[in-house]
Amino acid sequence: MTPGVFEYHRPNKVEDVLALLAEFGDDGKVLAGGHSLVPMMKLRLAEPAHIIDINAIASLRGIREEEGMIVIGAATTQAEIMGSDLLNEKCRILPDAAALIADPQVRNCGTIGGNCANGDPGNDDPAIMLALNASYTLQNQAGQRQIAAREFYEAVYTTALAEDELLTEIHVPAPAKGTGMSYQKIKRKVGDYAIAAAAVTLSMSAGQCTDAAVALTNVGDTALLSLEAAEAIKGSAVDARAIDRAADAAMADCEPVEDMRGTVEYRTAMVGEMTRRAIAEALSRVAGS
Amino acid sequence: MSDAPELTLEEREATIGGIGTARKRKEDARFIRGKGNYVDDIKLPGMLHGDFVRSSHAHALIKSIDTEEALKVDGVLAVITAKDLEPLSLHWMPTLAGDMAAVLADKKVHFQNQEVAFVVAADRYAAADGVQRVDVEYEELPPLIDPKRALDDDAPVIRDDVAENDEVGQGSRHHPNHIFEWKVGDKEATDAAFETADIRIREEIAYPRCHPSPLETCGCVASMDAVNGKLTVYGTFQAPHVVRTVVSLITGLAESNIRIVSPDIGGGFGNKVGAYPGYVCAAAASIVTGHPVKWIESRIDNLSTTAFARDYHMTGELAADKDGKILAVRANVIADHGAFNTHAQPMKWPAGLFNIVTGSYNIPVGHVEVNGVFTNKAPGGVAYRCSFRVTEAAYLIERLVDILAQKTGIDKAEIRLRNFVQPEQFPYSSCLGWEYDSGDYPTALQTAMQAVDYAGLRKEQAEKRDKGELMGIGISTFTEIVGAGPVRNCDIVGLGMFDSCEIRVHPTGSVIARLGTKSQGQGHETTFAQIIATELGIPSDDITIEEGDTDTAPYGLGTYGSRSTPVAGAATARAARKIKDKAKKIAAHVLEASEDDLEWEVDRFRVAGSDISMKMKDIAMAAYSNVPDGLEHGLETTDYYNPPNFTYPFGAYICVVDIDRFTGDVKVRRFYALDDCGTRINPMVIDGQIHGGLAEAYGIAMGQEISYDETGNVLGASLMDYFLPTSVETPEWETDFTVTPCPHHPIGAKGIGESPNVGGVPAFTNAIVDAFAHHGVTHMPMPHTQAKVWQTLNELGLNK
């Protein structure tokens, strides 16, 4: 690990982070879990002049519920997500997905905020946030704003996060009773990004799907929300034919590239298969709840 | 001289912990505490650090190298290029295969990431800063990536330096990109057998380029003592003495002024046999600067530049009669050796032991032809946890036998039983020139079939097929050839492939033994002590094994090709026996008995039929105090062993897989591995070796490939893409064994480290192909990634 020269900062308060971000602009990079940034620095693909380590800031960690909203601190680790009783009870797709992220060492450091804010289409949490219709709290010295995850992602490593802003919280609407959810991911091995993955939430009432969302990981420039796939199951009994239509829609919406994980044809097919499996599992969880 | 309290014979044997004891590994005490001492742990006063500027192109002329900005970096002391090494004649180095390899690119680059300049700096960071600031101007040339196109008339010429040469160290050649042609067997008789055979099968079977990828990458610390002129190199060397001789030959330094030390090594698997530019540059930099210089590879450097394995493009054929009896084998191979022929192997033949391609089968006649070619890829060709080219040969024959079974409709186990070399045929002379020393193949396979309920598995498979589910059963009944080796067959730069052991018994009865081999995780400190323990009746715990320092160890050829136990292990037993012979003379003298009346009993000599005895521990003291007239004091000796033959371990593996027909995901449900490595010195170490080898075999079969795009960019050269299985992916292994002692080895041992890699890979492929056999599929290319398996599913329409 031979990164370029950088100065290391470890502030204790959010305000201090914001002051440093305001001062350094593009030369400053926030270090949370470091599992995206540090490998890039190792390869010198990133050579930030200033590293702003936020791990000393307790207020950025923790999971709570307030007014129908689950609020997750941005520096909450994936291991903490997996261990959260609140999430396992009310929003299990997040702990389920965390368990599919890399290995325990990575999950002990890697944070949900970093996963969401980094803008890497290979990260797992953005698609889930799209499906859950979560929003992000972004702060700078001037104040804070709330932005929907569905408005946040622009392109590879490009998001609505400004240079002087810090993602501090993630707000997830607490899923209503009768909501089932599932994240299905196919990868080559531990530590790999998805060949394709699908996040599905759906609500059933009297045997009919009243609401649904389908989002996809690592098969486009950003995580993708497939409105068509959701439409295919909404209003249906979520039978095999509806599931097939949703899978076809997700396949039509995705834009994977060929890489070491497979051809476009294969990765597209896996979008369909993961969508199918996620819908089926989400449905089974509605029945179980 | 009696025990107090008196122990039974069994208790005394248990105390010794000799051959056959599942003793915990002695070296693990330091490894599990983080107290190992690897090359990168070595820090010498004033030590500098080196790093390479590497080529961004696969094939290009170097127009200029501008080092000015790099030299301005704080801490950078020097930037070395080929021009700087030329006056020392170190810009090229001879390879173990008789070719030359560039140390630093000389006028052109031949593969991506080739070493172009060496930056020497006060610390590792400054070295990397300097590397970034060296500006190299290239003029791109068309690259040659596909080895099958290497001998085309219009193929780009890769090696201008040898383009006109009639040979590059391995016999005649007929094209500028040609390295060698190697033929063995009776072509005429083979062709005739194919002519008239009822059944002929033929398949193109590639073994992709993969990489040993040891956990510790390659590296060294070179330290030239300017005062006494002694060069010390600590490095990741599987064969330290060979390195010393080669360094002497290259530099002209006296061998007595070179000390090579291999400290703890974190896995080698063939990657650490060869000589690399990093070693030469670090040594040259130390000579020039007068400071120790460290060079340590990054993971990407390791995967993309030092010592790949395989890259064999094989066409295999079998001729058989209607009953599936094999009549002839034919193999034609294009071997991609990359840009320089740096394949590291001790055999006198350019395709090593590939003519073990007859496997475990009694095949009357055969013919093999291998052509080696240059391409614009990293140089090498090493044996990744196998003897050279044995794993390619085993993969080919085990695949061909399966294909023959499918063609004839004979069960895949049955066809093997019909063709095995039979136990009474040993020693067996194969049609391609080997004398198999011993084996019992039918017993091994039948034991395996019984253990897994083979008939039951086939029944289950038939039921699953009716339901459209995909289940595969893979069999591999391989024969290895290991233990290089007989000096008549094997050498490295002219040095015979003997090996050595020196034993010193101290006055109080403890022992130090030094060998010419070098453990990289094989557990030598444990197992070699057990050989001595049994031979001398001294507890294993009182025996220290040392390797890897050329100033202290006897000359040896190192550790690879499963040669340590077959060769150095034999030297160890023989050295111990020489000690024992002398001990007997001393015991007879002290006990005032005739040597003829002494009997060996676990840990002592006893006067036959009496209760008078003398323990080896007491004999040791006598050796330094009370020896008979005419006998030298001391209890030390050395043995150099030249084996009369290779050893031939074998095994029967059965693998069961279930395939997800929608995703292509392969789940290994069961893997049963029966190995026969002759006498088993330490069953726990053997099990560990088999577990490790099978994990690597699984990695190779399922996802290890170093591939290139059409412009020569190396793909997958990081652990993000290159599949190193972790405990999560690795299947459960069931191990079993039979024991057929090696008839020519002093303790009957054969070598085990590589069998699971050699035998494991075809078991996986055979299982996966078997899952599709009822759809007429005869072969599927490695690695069996989900994407590739899905392609087969999709083509057959099975994923609908």
Side-chain angles (χ1 to χ4, degrees):
Chain A
M1 158 80 186
T2 50
V5 177
F6 61 88
E7 201 171 322
Y8 175 78
H9 308 267
R10 192 177 167 92
N12 295 312
K13 300 198 293 287
V14 169
E15 302 88 88
D16 296 344
V17 176
L18 302 179
L20 290 167
L21 283 173
E23 184 184 345
F24 302 132
D26 194 32
D27 288 339
K29 278 277 173 288
V30 171
L31 177 80
H35 279 86
S36 299
L37 179 59
V38 173
M40 301 261 281
M41 290 170 66
K42 172 179 118 177
L43 297 172
R44 298 199 174 199
L45 296 171
E47 293 192 71
H50 297 273
I51 291 292
I52 305 162
D53 183 345
I54 59 170
N55 284 290
I57 304 172
S59 67
L60 288 175
R61 298 174 100 113
I63 305 159
R64 63 184 193 275
E65 188 174 14
E66 54 187 39
E67 296 164 15
M69 200 64 80
I70 297 170
V71 180
I72 305 170
T76 305
T77 65
Q78 299 291 354
E80 288 164 345
I81 299 288
M82 282 173 73
S84 161
D85 291 339
L86 174 63
L87 292 179
N88 277 299
E89 185 192 336
K90 297 204 167 164
C91 194
R92 65 175 294 180
I93 192 171
L94 284 170
D96 285 356
L100 299 173
I101 295 172
D103 53 63
Q105 284 172 310
V106 171
R107 297 195 290 262
N108 284 337
C109 290
T111 66
I112 193 164
N115 200 297
C116 288
N118 191 38
D120 185 334
N123 287 345
D124 292 290
D125 285 325
I128 295 165
M129 297 305 167
L130 296 181
L132 291 169
N133 199 15
S135 68
Y136 302 150
T137 307
L138 310 183
Q139 278 191 44
N140 64 10
Q141 283 189 306
Q144 69 175 56
R145 61 179 174 135
Q146 201 70 20
I147 181 170
R150 292 176 184 181
E151 306 292 321
F152 185 74
Y153 298 101
E154 294 167 4
V156 179
Y157 296 120
T158 309
T159 67
L161 187 74
E163 273 170 24
D164 65 348
E165 282 181 319
L166 178 71
L167 168 63
T168 55
E169 284 180 353
I170 296 162
H171 291 212
V172 179
K177 227 180 152 44
T179 302
M181 51 185 73
S182 172
Y183 188 62
Q184 294 292 315
K185 176 182 182 180
I186 180 168
K187 56 185 177 178
R188 294 173 298 176
K189 56 174 182 169
V190 167
D192 193 20
Y193 293 116
I195 295 168
V200 168
T201 68
L202 58 84
S203 307
M204 299 294 287
S205 178
Q208 285 232 317
C209 177
T210 53
D211 196 12
V214 177
L216 310 169
T217 296
N218 209 24
V219 285
D221 276 359
T222 66
L224 300 173
L225 186 69
S226 177
L227 297 173
E228 297 290 321
E231 286 306 318
I233 46 175
K234 276 189 213 169
S236 80
V238 196
D239 54 13
R241 278 178 53 204
I243 294 176
D244 278 345
R245 281 202 309 273
D248 287 345
M251 286 164 68
D253 276 352
C254 71
E255 298 166 333
V257 293
E258 176 165 348
D259 64 9
M260 301 293 283
R261 294 176 186 83
T263 59
V264 170
E265 188 188 18
Y266 175 61
R267 299 186 68 187
T268 302
M270 289 309 98
V271 165
E273 190 57 30
M274 292 303 109
T275 301
R276 230 175 251 121
R277 290 180 187 194
I279 294 172
E281 187 175 75
L283 184 65
S284 76
R285 286 172 173 179
V286 174
S289 62
Chain B
M1 290 182 197
S2 65
D3 285 316
E6 190 62 50
L7 300 174
T8 65
L9 274 180
E10 290 73 25
E11 284 168 338
R12 274 156 54 198
E13 261 171 19
T15 306
I16 283 166
I19 292 173
T21 309
R23 184 169 167 251
K24 283 187 182 171
R25 299 205 323 169
K26 203 170 176 177
E27 41 274 80
D28 288 346
R30 65 179 186 277
F31 294 146
I32 62 173
R33 288 171 175 81
K35 299 289 185 191
N37 183 40
Y38 298 93
V39 172
D40 204 18
D41 294 319
I42 293 168
K43 295 175 177 70
L44 302 179
M47 187 173 77
L48 307 176
H49 297 258
D51 192 8
F52 282 110
V53 176
R54 294 179 179 279
S55 169
S56 45
H57 302 287
H59 198 195
L61 296 174
I62 296 176
K63 305 303 287 181
S64 65
I65 302 175
D66 183 351
T67 62
E68 200 181 321
E69 290 303 311
L71 288 167
K72 286 182 192 164
V73 173
D74 199 22
V76 170
L77 283 94
V79 181
I80 298 170
T81 65
K83 271 191 191 133
D84 303 309
L85 293 179
E86 194 170 354
L88 305 166
S89 293
L90 289 178
H91 58 320
W92 288 78
M93 61 179 172
T95 74
L96 297 178
D99 191 13
M100 295 294 284
V103 173
L104 291 170
D106 182 20
K107 300 178 197 72
K108 72 184 278 195
V109 290
H110 302 83
F111 63 96
Q112 191 181 50
N113 286 357
Q114 184 178 348
E115 300 81 1
V116 174
F118 191 65
V119 176
V120 185
D123 64 60
R124 185 68 189 81
Y125 299 94
D129 291 345
V131 166
Q132 270 184 310
R133 286 164 182 77
V134 173
D135 189 21
V136 185
E137 195 190 337
Y138 297 100
E139 180 184 320
E140 283 188 66
L141 298 169
L144 171 64
I145 305 306
D146 181 356
K148 291 177 179 165
R149 290 208 46 236
L151 303 181
D152 288 358
D153 289 341
D154 60 348
V157 174
I158 297 169
R159 293 284 301 283
D160 309 75
D161 59 309
V162 293
E164 306 296 323
N165 295 15
D166 296 334
E167 55 118 20
V168 283
Q170 296 200 303
S172 65
R173 61 203 282 262
H174 55 70
H175 185 286
N177 295 330
H178 192 217
I179 304 173
F180 65 82
E181 176 185 77
W182 185 63
K183 293 178 182 174
V184 62
D186 186 335
K187 185 169 191 312
E188 222 170 285
T190 305
D191 290 349
F194 271 91
E195 280 294 304
T196 55
D198 290 328
I199 312 271
R200 287 183 288 267
I201 59 124
R202 179 179 191 276
E203 193 78 49
E204 291 192 14
I205 295 174
Y207 204 130
R209 176 177 283 229
C210 54
H211 195 283
S213 193
L215 287 185
E216 177 204 30
T217 59
C218 297
C220 72
V221 179
S223 179
M224 183 72 188
D225 185 327
V227 176
N228 62 23
K230 183 155 186 169
L231 176 68
T232 302
V233 186
Y234 304 86
T236 46
F237 307 125
Q238 291 183 227
H241 283 97
V242 177
V243 172
R244 189 183 71 190
T245 301
V246 170
V247 169
S248 175
L249 292 172
I250 294 176
T251 62
L253 291 172
E255 246 181 299
S256 54
N257 259 348
I258 303 168
R259 179 182 171 212
I260 304 295
V261 183
S262 296
D264 283 329
I265 295 185
F269 315 113
N271 180 234
K272 294 166 180 170
V273 177
Y276 298 122
Y279 305 151
V280 178
C281 288
S286 179
I287 291 168
V288 171
T289 63
H291 286 270
V293 176
K294 178 185 275 188
W295 165 72
I296 302 287
E297 275 185 322
S298 74
R299 179 62 58 187
I300 290 173
D301 295 345
N302 180 252
L303 286 170
S304 64
T305 67
T306 53
F308 74 89
R310 327 291 194 234
D311 219 343
Y312 252 36
H313 304 266
M314 308 181 277
T315 304
E317 295 171 90
L318 289 180
D321 68 17
K322 283 197 276 288
D323 298 325
K325 183 89 189 94
I326 302 169
L327 303 172
V329 61
R330 192 153 57 192
N332 201 304
V333 183
I334 296 285
D336 186 341
H337 285 229
F340 307 108
N341 190 22
T342 59
H343 75 93
Q345 60 114 352
M347 261 56 72
K348 291 186 189 291
W349 314 285
L353 305 170
F354 186 76
N355 49 335
I356 195 72
V357 72
T358 45
S360 304
Y361 312 104
N362 184 18
I363 303 178
V365 66
H367 187 255
V368 167
E369 179 173 343
V370 183
N371 281 278
V373 298
F374 291 123
T375 57
N376 286 117
K377 302 183 198 169
V382 297
Y384 170 5
R385 204 178 186 136
C386 68
S387 283
F388 199 59
R389 303 306 186 189
V390 170
T391 191
E392 292 91 333
Y395 187 69
L396 186 66
I397 187 66
E398 288 305 307
R399 286 269 52 247
L400 290 176
V401 168
D402 261 29
I403 295 165
L404 180 64
Q406 286 181 216
K407 172 106 177 189
T408 54
I410 298 167
D411 177 84
K412 286 168 180 171
E414 173 60 24
I415 201 157
R416 287 174 162 82
L417 291 166
R418 287 187 195 179
N419 283 288
F420 277 147
V421 174
Q422 295 300 308
E424 61 275 13
Q425 288 179 276
F426 291 95
Y428 170 77
S429 296
S430 80
C431 63
L432 294 176
W434 295 116
E435 188 185 291
Y436 293 30
D437 61 1
S438 59
D440 184 348
Y441 306 146
T443 299
L445 178 54
Q446 280 154 354
T447 306
M449 289 167 71
Q450 208 159 11
V452 301
D453 182 18
Y454 181 73
L457 285 171
R458 285 292 177 202
K459 187 161 165 276
E460 182 192 349
Q461 182 187 42
E463 290 162 7
K464 286 231 155 95
R465 283 177 175 175
D466 288 343
K467 290 188 280 184
E469 293 172 27
L470 295 166
M471 168 186 167
I473 303 159
I475 303 173
S476 167
T477 46
F478 62 96
T479 288
E480 263 242 274
I481 171 170
V482 308
V487 172
R488 68 177 181 280
N489 300 137
C490 309
D491 69 58
I492 280 185
V493 293
L495 303 163
M497 294 296 293
F498 58 83
D499 225 291
S500 60
C501 175
E502 176 208 80
I503 299 177
R504 298 180 178 183
V505 184
H506 306 313
T508 51
S510 61
V511 171
I512 185 164
R514 297 191 173 99
L515 293 89
T517 44
K518 176 61 205 173
S519 186
Q520 308 125 37
Q522 290 89 342
H524 290 182
E525 289 170 48
T526 309
T527 46
F528 288 142
Q530 289 179 240
I531 295 174
I532 297 170
T534 290
E535 294 291 341
L536 294 184
I538 290 171
S540 289
D541 288 342
D542 293 341
I543 300 168
T544 298
I545 301 292
E546 245 185 42
E547 299 175 314
D549 186 337
T550 57
D551 268 9
T552 55
Y555 204 102
L557 278 294
T559 292
Y560 39 87
S562 283
R563 66 183 299 277
S564 297
T565 293
V567 191
T572 303
R574 295 194 343 154
R577 287 172 191 178
K578 288 182 195 171
I579 298 258
K580 198 165 156 186
D581 287 346
K582 181 172 180 181
K584 193 175 188 182
K585 288 185 170 53
I586 296 167
H589 167 71
V590 174
L591 297 175
E592 297 178 345
S594 157
E595 263 191 77
D596 295 339
D597 292 337
L598 294 186
E599 289 175 346
W600 179 251
E601 186 193 275
V602 184
D603 56 358
R604 66 195 64 182
F605 282 108
R606 181 179 295 283
V607 178
S610 80
D611 59 359
I612 300 167
S613 67
M614 188 172 185
K615 289 196 289 186
M616 184 58 85
K617 189 172 157 59
D618 300 316
I619 299 170
M621 184 57 84
Y624 294 87
S625 58
N626 181 15
V627 295
D629 290 344
L631 201 65
E632 291 174 16
H633 280 81
L635 203 52
E636 303 183 1
T637 194
T638 305
D639 187 81
Y640 279 73
Y641 182 71
N642 173 21
N645 192 0
F646 289 89
T647 68
Y648 297 77
F650 60 95
Y653 293 175
I654 297 180
C655 172
V656 186
V657 300
D658 298 296
I659 294 174
D660 184 325
R661 68 189 178 94
F662 299 105
T663 63
D665 208 46
V666 176
K667 189 138 258 78
V668 176
R669 184 205 306 181
R670 189 162 189 196
F671 199 105
Y672 169 91
L674 180 147
D675 275 284
D676 191 321
C677 60
T679 301
R680 293 158 59 84
I681 301 167
N682 183 326
M684 191 192 290
V685 168
I686 290 170
D687 262 358
Q689 289 270 30
I690 293 168
H691 281 220
L694 288 175
E696 284 185 328
Y698 177 70
I700 292 167
M702 305 309 290
Q704 295 193 343
E705 183 175 14
I706 302 290
S707 56
Y708 292 79
D709 70 13
E710 66 279 6
T711 59
N713 292 309
V714 56
L715 307 173
S718 85
L719 296 185
M720 173 59 82
D721 291 310
Y722 195 74
F723 179 43
L724 216 56
T726 69
S727 56
V728 176
E729 294 94 0
T730 304
E732 291 277 325
W733 314 118
E734 298 168 56
T735 58
D736 201 349
F737 62 94
T738 54
V739 177
T740 310
C742 172
H744 60 78
H745 186 280
I747 62 166
K750 286 186 168 183
I752 185 60
E754 301 173 335
S755 291
N757 193 324
V758 170
V761 177
F764 291 112
T765 299
N766 284 351
I768 292 163
V769 175
D770 185 64
F772 293 92
H774 56 308
H775 293 286
V777 175
T778 54
H779 185 61
M780 291 163 69
M782 280 198 290
H784 304 291
T785 60
Q786 297 121 315
K788 278 199 190 155
V789 174
W790 181 84
Q791 206 173 328
T792 302
L793 288 161
N794 194 44
E795 281 162 12
L796 296 170
L798 300 175
N799 58 337
K800 301 296 183 272

